[in-house]
Amino acid sequence: MKAFLDACRHAIGAQYVLTAADETAAYLTDWRRRFTGSAFAVVKPACTEEVAAIVRLCHQFHVPIVPQGGNTGLVLGSIPDASNTAIVLSLTRLNRIRAIDSVNNTMTVESGCILQNVQQAAADAGRLFPLSLASEGSCTIGGNLSSNAGGTAVLRYGNARELCLGLEVVTPQGELWNGLRGLRKDNTGYDLRDLYIGAEGTLGIITAAVLKLSPLPKAQRTALAALRSPDAALRLLTLAQMRCNSALTGFELMSAFCLTLVGRHFPQMHLSFREQHAQYVLLELSDSESEEHANTLLEELIGDALQQDIVQDAIVATSLAQSAALWDIREHIPLAQAAEGKNIKHDVSLPISVIGDFIRSTDALLQQAFPGVRMVTFGHLGDGNLHYNVAHPEQETDAGFMAQQTTVNRVVHDNVHSFGGSISAEHGIGALKHEEILRYKSAVEIQLMRAIKQALDPQNIMNPGKLLT
Amino acid sequence: MKAFLDACRHAIGAQYVLTAADETAAYLTDWRRRFTGSAFAVVKPACTEEVAAIVRLCHQFHVPIVPQGGNTGLVLGSIPDASNTAIVLSLTRLNRIRAIDSVNNTMTVESGCILQNVQQAAADAGRLFPLSLASEGSCTIGGNLSSNAGGTAVLRYGNARELCLGLEVVTPQGELWNGLRGLRKDNTGYDLRDLYIGAEGTLGIITAAVLKLSPLPKAQRTALAALRSPDAALRLLTLAQMRCNSALTGFELMSAFCLTLVGRHFPQMHLSFREQHAQYVLLELSDSESEEHANTLLEELIGDALQQDIVQDAIVATSLAQSAALWDIREHIPLAQAAEGKNIKHDVSLPISVIGDFIRSTDALLQQAFPGVRMVTFGHLGDGNLHYNVAHPEQETDAGFMAQQTTVNRVVHDNVHSFGGSISAEHGIGALKHEEILRYKSAVEIQLMRAIKQALDPQNIMNPGKLLT
């Protein structure tokens, strides 16, 4: 590998080819610190041409490549395996905002740009880049696109896929595909863009993208509604969509137990409802007109829902601080969960209409198999995306329960599948679920995916062992 | 071929395997009656299983397949070539609405459903299926998806691609891929859905789809604004997006000459502007609240635009009849054009911000090369999609001008390309532009497309000669 490394050093400068253990360590462990892989080098090109030069060398020397952005993924997609045969190709030096066009409502960014910087550059131009997720201070837009990231604004703006008009990609042969088109309509061939989006770096390396921007909303309003059941939450969702249409930008379901956990571990976050309710919905409206208009819209919606007995009680935030406090509760659920002990987590999606049935039915199956388990169920109900997490029974230990993870996953995922859902709504497959999808996808689908992988990366050097095996 | 036809008859019934010239004729000529191809049979399966059975026979006997829906395409994509070696596989008997889910806001339809019937079924369930185009009374949803159709609602709702969540596809080997998922989030592998969408039947046959539905708007309002230039229209577009956001559902540009033609050939359609203006914009708002709210929104927008000197004059429709009359003018442009004589038409898209420059620059190049040509420029400005049509000089004959079509196309398409645009915004490639795209796409992109085609259809039996050659 000396010849390969020397050629890399020649191509991008010796200081950007890291081989010392203390320099490479940060690139080899995943975000949740569940696995540490091994790479014989971490290579950090500065621009698209340098990426292409490195990939050509990998192609020539048959060196597997693990592309990496902010390394914040949750499915071990951006770290190498233990074989020490691959390089990590870090895109973080490709961090330029290349252009912003506020009339076309697009921006062209390099894939190593941190999501928060992309959001900020859009805001500086008076526009909204709506993709937003917990790791936005560290994750990169290239990683967001490669994993088709979701987040909190999917209900209104779609996933990362729907926010991208064009891509620049380095192929596994080190060739450059310039698909950086800022067009809303272009019917001139196969949709390569959407093939690379969500491919988790297994078909090529995204080096830049043209992103879609939206107008900045003039006002945002938040409310927390208390309801009897997930089915009532579905009725509220339909009512909100009919009345508010695209002004509805957030619709998050949380069970009572989620709020109990938050109250237990963060006692300063208490809710002022007079009684305990079974379910809560955090809903957010974004308005293009005015504060007053947003207020009226939200108050009329809640009033109507109370009158129709869909909602039992509600808190409407009357200030930005109150609104932030409501979101804070939602965002503290994972933290409260962690404080309570280990959890077996599931990132699933379902047809929205069956979510009530799915929760009832899966809860029952789990109680039968694991009496006393405690369900921490919350998620982006408006997108059909549930974080359906299972906490151990009060009397059981963390370790004892976690040993049964495979069985718990099987119960949940089998039921997701039977309800027509997906076992990975927004986190992807990576090295964590590539065997699981073999159970749920048809042989035809796996064969089609393999044919595409084989056609575009016949050497199998792009992120091998991820997504498909 | 007797053995093949007998097997087809056995599979789907002899009466659905048409070979007599008078029975097949309707399937062999394109919508604009520019070309008549030849097929040794037209085969009309009734359901997905029958489609798969026919395709397996074609695979076995190496018979090329031309999939056909409503046969309303504009690029010769749905008719066979002259070789008489292919069958036409008509999907029109697959015309069931399989399911409507008004909580998940989805419907599952077979690909042979006529678009208007899909719209109607959605409306009957109190929902909107927003895809809308001139041929909606004849085109099928399968054809819409295979060509990623655009139409008049793209600005708000996106192309056909953005309106589809899942597909059922018969592969070129006659296998069935069931990807009929009604999910907003699903990150479990390569995006096969978007690969089949827009592939013009060259990778497989779409037999059914899960479509996304939206709330029905409560009110729609239309206005016609008179402006000095396309640049003023761009300023109006930005203003309208900032003020109205997703309530803006239509934004159509028309030059003065377009309206002159309409007035000349349809004298009953006159506009009541006191003076002649250079450009006109037809804009439409769809409101989820009320008639009053829509009125206020539109009046304030127009008032602001007049005050900022973006708009010179405006007609705001105060009734549904007035609104329909304004849309009528827009929709009569192609008819007025046809009445005036032959035209060389272009369906192009551009980054919205360069449209003013593109029109100025291309107009000048054409006047230089063909003095006296008359530009009939209109289109979906909000999507960057121009119907940039060139009518012959007053003194020249139709025939003399049409003989120069290739040269005119070259001037226009070269300039589209240099402005970063697309030579086919919404009509696709078919058998009409497959050589043209070789000029504008990079070798890398063509090679990627060919690799995918080869991987999924190695026998090249799916719609050969279309899209890629």
PDB file of all heavy atoms in Angstrom, chain A residues 182-210:
ATOM      1  N   GLY A 182     -30.161  23.473 -11.611  1.00  0.00           N
ATOM      2  CA  GLY A 182     -31.091  24.173 -10.721  1.00  0.00           C
ATOM      3  C   GLY A 182     -32.454  24.275 -11.367  1.00  0.00           C
ATOM      4  O   GLY A 182     -33.028  25.352 -11.442  1.00  0.00           O
ATOM      5  N   LEU A 183     -32.977  23.152 -11.824  1.00  0.00           N
ATOM      6  CA  LEU A 183     -34.212  23.135 -12.620  1.00  0.00           C
ATOM      7  C   LEU A 183     -35.333  22.411 -11.881  1.00  0.00           C
ATOM      8  O   LEU A 183     -35.107  21.378 -11.265  1.00  0.00           O
ATOM      9  CB  LEU A 183     -33.964  22.426 -13.956  1.00  0.00           C
ATOM     10  CG  LEU A 183     -32.824  22.995 -14.816  1.00  0.00           C
ATOM     11  CD1 LEU A 183     -32.567  22.108 -16.019  1.00  0.00           C
ATOM     12  CD2 LEU A 183     -33.153  24.414 -15.255  1.00  0.00           C
ATOM     13  N   ARG A 184     -36.560  22.958 -11.972  1.00  0.00           N
ATOM     14  CA  ARG A 184     -37.733  22.305 -11.382  1.00  0.00           C
ATOM     15  C   ARG A 184     -38.317  21.259 -12.312  1.00  0.00           C
ATOM     16  O   ARG A 184     -39.113  20.428 -11.892  1.00  0.00           O
ATOM     17  CB  ARG A 184     -38.833  23.340 -11.116  1.00  0.00           C
ATOM     18  CG  ARG A 184     -38.845  23.854  -9.693  1.00  0.00           C
ATOM     19  CD  ARG A 184     -37.806  24.893  -9.493  1.00  0.00           C
ATOM     20  NE  ARG A 184     -37.731  25.372  -8.118  1.00  0.00           N
ATOM     21  CZ  ARG A 184     -36.768  26.154  -7.689  1.00  0.00           C
ATOM     22  NH1 ARG A 184     -35.788  26.522  -8.489  1.00  0.00           N
ATOM     23  NH2 ARG A 184     -36.736  26.545  -6.427  1.00  0.00           N
ATOM     24  N   LYS A 185     -38.002  21.349 -13.577  1.00  0.00           N
ATOM     25  CA  LYS A 185     -38.524  20.397 -14.560  1.00  0.00           C
ATOM     26  C   LYS A 185     -37.384  20.030 -15.489  1.00  0.00           C
ATOM     27  O   LYS A 185     -36.775  20.914 -16.102  1.00  0.00           O
ATOM     28  CB  LYS A 185     -39.634  21.042 -15.395  1.00  0.00           C
ATOM     29  CG  LYS A 185     -40.975  21.191 -14.713  1.00  0.00           C
ATOM     30  CD  LYS A 185     -41.960  21.804 -15.715  1.00  0.00           C
ATOM     31  CE  LYS A 185     -43.379  21.766 -15.221  1.00  0.00           C
ATOM     32  NZ  LYS A 185     -44.295  22.423 -16.183  1.00  0.00           N
ATOM     33  N   ASP A 186     -37.138  18.744 -15.630  1.00  0.00           N
ATOM     34  CA  ASP A 186     -36.074  18.298 -16.538  1.00  0.00           C
ATOM     35  C   ASP A 186     -36.315  16.822 -16.809  1.00  0.00           C
ATOM     36  O   ASP A 186     -36.004  15.976 -15.979  1.00  0.00           O
ATOM     37  CB  ASP A 186     -34.703  18.518 -15.879  1.00  0.00           C
ATOM     38  CG  ASP A 186     -33.584  17.942 -16.728  1.00  0.00           C
ATOM     39  OD1 ASP A 186     -33.737  17.869 -17.963  1.00  0.00           O
ATOM     40  OD2 ASP A 186     -32.537  17.554 -16.146  1.00  0.00           O
ATOM     41  N   ASN A 187     -36.908  16.527 -17.951  1.00  0.00           N
ATOM     42  CA  ASN A 187     -37.223  15.139 -18.287  1.00  0.00           C
ATOM     43  C   ASN A 187     -36.348  14.668 -19.439  1.00  0.00           C
ATOM     44  O   ASN A 187     -36.808  14.489 -20.559  1.00  0.00           O
ATOM     45  CB  ASN A 187     -38.708  15.008 -18.640  1.00  0.00           C
ATOM     46  CG  ASN A 187     -39.569  14.885 -17.392  1.00  0.00           C
ATOM     47  OD1 ASN A 187     -39.075  14.528 -16.322  1.00  0.00           O
ATOM     48  ND2 ASN A 187     -40.845  15.181 -17.511  1.00  0.00           N
ATOM     49  N   THR A 188     -35.079  14.470 -19.143  1.00  0.00           N
ATOM     50  CA  THR A 188     -34.146  14.093 -20.200  1.00  0.00           C
ATOM     51  C   THR A 188     -33.351  12.853 -19.833  1.00  0.00           C
ATOM     52  O   THR A 188     -32.157  12.764 -20.122  1.00  0.00           O
ATOM     53  CB  THR A 188     -33.158  15.254 -20.505  1.00  0.00           C
ATOM     54  OG1 THR A 188     -32.497  15.614 -19.285  1.00  0.00           O
ATOM     55  CG2 THR A 188     -33.865  16.459 -21.077  1.00  0.00           C
ATOM     56  N   GLY A 189     -33.991  11.889 -19.203  1.00  0.00           N
ATOM     57  CA  GLY A 189     -33.279  10.639 -18.946  1.00  0.00           C
ATOM     58  C   GLY A 189     -33.518  10.102 -17.555  1.00  0.00           C
ATOM     59  O   GLY A 189     -34.348  10.623 -16.812  1.00  0.00           O
ATOM     60  N   TYR A 190     -32.791   9.045 -17.232  1.00  0.00           N
ATOM     61  CA  TYR A 190     -32.992   8.383 -15.945  1.00  0.00           C
ATOM     62  C   TYR A 190     -32.636   9.315 -14.794  1.00  0.00           C
ATOM     63  O   TYR A 190     -31.732  10.148 -14.885  1.00  0.00           O
ATOM     64  CB  TYR A 190     -32.136   7.107 -15.866  1.00  0.00           C
ATOM     65  CG  TYR A 190     -32.462   6.079 -16.921  1.00  0.00           C
ATOM     66  CD1 TYR A 190     -31.476   5.252 -17.444  1.00  0.00           C
ATOM     67  CD2 TYR A 190     -33.765   5.933 -17.403  1.00  0.00           C
ATOM     68  CE1 TYR A 190     -31.765   4.303 -18.422  1.00  0.00           C
ATOM     69  CE2 TYR A 190     -34.061   4.995 -18.374  1.00  0.00           C
ATOM     70  CZ  TYR A 190     -33.067   4.186 -18.880  1.00  0.00           C
ATOM     71  OH  TYR A 190     -33.357   3.262 -19.847  1.00  0.00           O
ATOM     72  N   ASP A 191     -33.323   9.109 -13.689  1.00  0.00           N
ATOM     73  CA  ASP A 191     -33.191   9.977 -12.523  1.00  0.00           C
ATOM     74  C   ASP A 191     -31.977   9.558 -11.684  1.00  0.00           C
ATOM     75  O   ASP A 191     -32.122   8.951 -10.625  1.00  0.00           O
ATOM     76  CB  ASP A 191     -34.482   9.879 -11.711  1.00  0.00           C
ATOM     77  CG  ASP A 191     -34.480  10.823 -10.528  1.00  0.00           C
ATOM     78  OD1 ASP A 191     -33.577  11.684 -10.461  1.00  0.00           O
ATOM     79  OD2 ASP A 191     -35.364  10.692  -9.670  1.00  0.00           O
ATOM     80  N   LEU A 192     -30.800   9.896 -12.182  1.00  0.00           N
ATOM     81  CA  LEU A 192     -29.574   9.540 -11.469  1.00  0.00           C
ATOM     82  C   LEU A 192     -29.520  10.212 -10.102  1.00  0.00           C
ATOM     83  O   LEU A 192     -29.055   9.621  -9.120  1.00  0.00           O
ATOM     84  CB  LEU A 192     -28.348   9.953 -12.301  1.00  0.00           C
ATOM     85  CG  LEU A 192     -28.242   9.310 -13.687  1.00  0.00           C
ATOM     86  CD1 LEU A 192     -27.031   9.877 -14.426  1.00  0.00           C
ATOM     87  CD2 LEU A 192     -28.122   7.798 -13.571  1.00  0.00           C
ATOM     88  N   ARG A 193     -30.006  11.451 -10.055  1.00  0.00           N
ATOM     89  CA  ARG A 193     -29.968  12.196  -8.788  1.00  0.00           C
ATOM     90  C   ARG A 193     -30.559  11.382  -7.642  1.00  0.00           C
ATOM     91  O   ARG A 193     -29.926  11.188  -6.605  1.00  0.00           O
ATOM     92  CB  ARG A 193     -30.759  13.499  -8.958  1.00  0.00           C
ATOM     93  CG  ARG A 193     -30.913  14.299  -7.679  1.00  0.00           C
ATOM     94  CD  ARG A 193     -31.930  15.420  -7.857  1.00  0.00           C
ATOM     95  NE  ARG A 193     -33.262  14.887  -8.036  1.00  0.00           N
ATOM     96  CZ  ARG A 193     -34.272  15.518  -8.640  1.00  0.00           C
ATOM     97  NH1 ARG A 193     -34.102  16.721  -9.135  1.00  0.00           N
ATOM     98  NH2 ARG A 193     -35.460  14.937  -8.747  1.00  0.00           N
ATOM     99  N   ASP A 194     -31.771  10.875  -7.847  1.00  0.00           N
ATOM    100  CA  ASP A 194     -32.447  10.190  -6.748  1.00  0.00           C
ATOM    101  C   ASP A 194     -31.883   8.803  -6.480  1.00  0.00           C
ATOM    102  O   ASP A 194     -32.163   8.217  -5.435  1.00  0.00           O
ATOM    103  CB  ASP A 194     -33.953  10.144  -7.008  1.00  0.00           C
ATOM    104  CG  ASP A 194     -34.574  11.520  -6.847  1.00  0.00           C
ATOM    105  OD1 ASP A 194     -34.256  12.186  -5.849  1.00  0.00           O
ATOM    106  OD2 ASP A 194     -35.342  11.943  -7.717  1.00  0.00           O
ATOM    107  N   LEU A 195     -31.098   8.305  -7.431  1.00  0.00           N
ATOM    108  CA  LEU A 195     -30.417   7.040  -7.191  1.00  0.00           C
ATOM    109  C   LEU A 195     -29.240   7.245  -6.219  1.00  0.00           C
ATOM    110  O   LEU A 195     -29.022   6.437  -5.312  1.00  0.00           O
ATOM    111  CB  LEU A 195     -29.928   6.488  -8.537  1.00  0.00           C
ATOM    112  CG  LEU A 195     -29.513   5.036  -8.590  1.00  0.00           C
ATOM    113  CD1 LEU A 195     -30.623   4.116  -8.097  1.00  0.00           C
ATOM    114  CD2 LEU A 195     -29.140   4.665 -10.024  1.00  0.00           C
ATOM    115  N   TYR A 196     -28.495   8.328  -6.391  1.00  0.00           N
ATOM    116  CA  TYR A 196     -27.380   8.606  -5.473  1.00  0.00           C
ATOM    117  C   TYR A 196     -27.881   9.051  -4.097  1.00  0.00           C
ATOM    118  O   TYR A 196     -27.261   8.742  -3.082  1.00  0.00           O
ATOM    119  CB  TYR A 196     -26.445   9.667  -6.064  1.00  0.00           C
ATOM    120  CG  TYR A 196     -25.689   9.192  -7.293  1.00  0.00           C
ATOM    121  CD1 TYR A 196     -25.906   9.751  -8.541  1.00  0.00           C
ATOM    122  CD2 TYR A 196     -24.757   8.160  -7.186  1.00  0.00           C
ATOM    123  CE1 TYR A 196     -25.222   9.315  -9.661  1.00  0.00           C
ATOM    124  CE2 TYR A 196     -24.075   7.705  -8.295  1.00  0.00           C
ATOM    125  CZ  TYR A 196     -24.305   8.286  -9.536  1.00  0.00           C
ATOM    126  OH  TYR A 196     -23.635   7.835 -10.637  1.00  0.00           O
ATOM    127  N   ILE A 197     -29.015   9.795  -4.106  1.00  0.00           N
ATOM    128  CA  ILE A 197     -29.573  10.211  -2.816  1.00  0.00           C
ATOM    129  C   ILE A 197     -30.099   8.962  -2.109  1.00  0.00           C
ATOM    130  O   ILE A 197     -30.832   8.169  -2.687  1.00  0.00           O
ATOM    131  CB  ILE A 197     -30.693  11.256  -3.009  1.00  0.00           C
ATOM    132  CG1 ILE A 197     -30.107  12.548  -3.577  1.00  0.00           C
ATOM    133  CG2 ILE A 197     -31.418  11.525  -1.691  1.00  0.00           C
ATOM    134  CD1 ILE A 197     -31.140  13.613  -3.899  1.00  0.00           C
ATOM    135  N   GLY A 198     -29.697   8.779  -0.880  1.00  0.00           N
ATOM    136  CA  GLY A 198     -30.142   7.606  -0.121  1.00  0.00           C
ATOM    137  C   GLY A 198     -29.330   6.348  -0.383  1.00  0.00           C
ATOM    138  O   GLY A 198     -29.632   5.303   0.186  1.00  0.00           O
ATOM    139  N   ALA A 199     -28.313   6.424  -1.237  1.00  0.00           N
ATOM    140  CA  ALA A 199     -27.513   5.230  -1.544  1.00  0.00           C
ATOM    141  C   ALA A 199     -26.399   5.000  -0.518  1.00  0.00           C
ATOM    142  O   ALA A 199     -25.627   4.049  -0.629  1.00  0.00           O
ATOM    143  CB  ALA A 199     -26.931   5.314  -2.947  1.00  0.00           C
ATOM    144  N   GLU A 200     -26.299   5.867   0.469  1.00  0.00           N
ATOM    145  CA  GLU A 200     -25.347   5.705   1.573  1.00  0.00           C
ATOM    146  C   GLU A 200     -23.910   5.522   1.082  1.00  0.00           C
ATOM    147  O   GLU A 200     -23.127   4.759   1.656  1.00  0.00           O
ATOM    148  CB  GLU A 200     -25.775   4.539   2.481  1.00  0.00           C
ATOM    149  CG  GLU A 200     -27.201   4.730   3.029  1.00  0.00           C
ATOM    150  CD  GLU A 200     -27.633   3.666   4.049  1.00  0.00           C
ATOM    151  OE1 GLU A 200     -26.790   2.842   4.443  1.00  0.00           O
ATOM    152  OE2 GLU A 200     -28.820   3.690   4.448  1.00  0.00           O
ATOM    153  N   GLY A 201     -23.575   6.233   0.014  1.00  0.00           N
ATOM    154  CA  GLY A 201     -22.191   6.203  -0.475  1.00  0.00           C
ATOM    155  C   GLY A 201     -21.773   4.907  -1.134  1.00  0.00           C
ATOM    156  O   GLY A 201     -20.582   4.673  -1.335  1.00  0.00           O
ATOM    157  N   THR A 202     -22.734   4.070  -1.506  1.00  0.00           N
ATOM    158  CA  THR A 202     -22.364   2.782  -2.105  1.00  0.00           C
ATOM    159  C   THR A 202     -22.312   2.830  -3.628  1.00  0.00           C
ATOM    160  O   THR A 202     -21.904   1.861  -4.255  1.00  0.00           O
ATOM    161  CB  THR A 202     -23.359   1.666  -1.705  1.00  0.00           C
ATOM    162  OG1 THR A 202     -24.662   2.003  -2.213  1.00  0.00           O
ATOM    163  CG2 THR A 202     -23.422   1.487  -0.198  1.00  0.00           C
ATOM    164  N   LEU A 203     -22.733   3.958  -4.229  1.00  0.00           N
ATOM    165  CA  LEU A 203     -22.742   4.041  -5.698  1.00  0.00           C
ATOM    166  C   LEU A 203     -21.820   5.124  -6.233  1.00  0.00           C
ATOM    167  O   LEU A 203     -21.592   5.210  -7.451  1.00  0.00           O
ATOM    168  CB  LEU A 203     -24.172   4.307  -6.203  1.00  0.00           C
ATOM    169  CG  LEU A 203     -25.238   3.246  -5.877  1.00  0.00           C
ATOM    170  CD1 LEU A 203     -26.599   3.687  -6.405  1.00  0.00           C
ATOM    171  CD2 LEU A 203     -24.850   1.888  -6.446  1.00  0.00           C
ATOM    172  N   GLY A 204     -21.322   5.968  -5.354  1.00  0.00           N
ATOM    173  CA  GLY A 204     -20.487   7.085  -5.780  1.00  0.00           C
ATOM    174  C   GLY A 204     -20.404   8.071  -4.630  1.00  0.00           C
ATOM    175  O   GLY A 204     -20.985   7.848  -3.563  1.00  0.00           O
ATOM    176  N   ILE A 205     -19.665   9.158  -4.859  1.00  0.00           N
ATOM    177  CA  ILE A 205     -19.477  10.143  -3.790  1.00  0.00           C
ATOM    178  C   ILE A 205     -20.083  11.471  -4.208  1.00  0.00           C
ATOM    179  O   ILE A 205     -19.667  12.074  -5.198  1.00  0.00           O
ATOM    180  CB  ILE A 205     -17.975  10.325  -3.483  1.00  0.00           C
ATOM    181  CG1 ILE A 205     -17.391   8.998  -2.996  1.00  0.00           C
ATOM    182  CG2 ILE A 205     -17.770  11.429  -2.452  1.00  0.00           C
ATOM    183  CD1 ILE A 205     -15.892   9.038  -2.780  1.00  0.00           C
ATOM    184  N   ILE A 206     -21.073  11.924  -3.452  1.00  0.00           N
ATOM    185  CA  ILE A 206     -21.670  13.237  -3.703  1.00  0.00           C
ATOM    186  C   ILE A 206     -20.665  14.301  -3.265  1.00  0.00           C
ATOM    187  O   ILE A 206     -20.232  14.311  -2.109  1.00  0.00           O
ATOM    188  CB  ILE A 206     -22.995  13.388  -2.926  1.00  0.00           C
ATOM    189  CG1 ILE A 206     -24.021  12.364  -3.432  1.00  0.00           C
ATOM    190  CG2 ILE A 206     -23.535  14.811  -3.034  1.00  0.00           C
ATOM    191  CD1 ILE A 206     -25.313  12.323  -2.612  1.00  0.00           C
ATOM    192  N   THR A 207     -20.303  15.189  -4.202  1.00  0.00           N
ATOM    193  CA  THR A 207     -19.330  16.230  -3.847  1.00  0.00           C
ATOM    194  C   THR A 207     -19.977  17.621  -3.756  1.00  0.00           C
ATOM    195  O   THR A 207     -19.405  18.512  -3.129  1.00  0.00           O
ATOM    196  CB  THR A 207     -18.168  16.275  -4.860  1.00  0.00           C
ATOM    197  OG1 THR A 207     -18.715  16.329  -6.184  1.00  0.00           O
ATOM    198  CG2 THR A 207     -17.302  15.027  -4.737  1.00  0.00           C
ATOM    199  N   ALA A 208     -21.135  17.789  -4.397  1.00  0.00           N
ATOM    200  CA  ALA A 208     -21.832  19.075  -4.305  1.00  0.00           C
ATOM    201  C   ALA A 208     -23.291  18.867  -4.683  1.00  0.00           C
ATOM    202  O   ALA A 208     -23.645  17.846  -5.284  1.00  0.00           O
ATOM    203  CB  ALA A 208     -21.194  20.123  -5.218  1.00  0.00           C
ATOM    204  N   ALA A 209     -24.132  19.840  -4.322  1.00  0.00           N
ATOM    205  CA  ALA A 209     -25.567  19.707  -4.595  1.00  0.00           C
ATOM    206  C   ALA A 209     -26.193  21.081  -4.804  1.00  0.00           C
ATOM    207  O   ALA A 209     -25.732  22.076  -4.248  1.00  0.00           O
ATOM    208  CB  ALA A 209     -26.259  19.002  -3.422  1.00  0.00           C
ATOM    209  N   VAL A 210     -27.231  21.107  -5.629  1.00  0.00           N
ATOM    210  CA  VAL A 210     -28.081  22.292  -5.742  1.00  0.00           C
ATOM    211  C   VAL A 210     -29.304  22.049  -4.868  1.00  0.00           C
ATOM    212  O   VAL A 210     -30.033  21.076  -5.074  1.00  0.00           O
ATOM    213  CB  VAL A 210     -28.534  22.541  -7.197  1.00  0.00           C
ATOM    214  CG1 VAL A 210     -29.414  23.789  -7.263  1.00  0.00           C
ATOM    215  CG2 VAL A 210     -27.345  22.679  -8.127  1.00  0.00           C
TER     216      VAL A 210
END
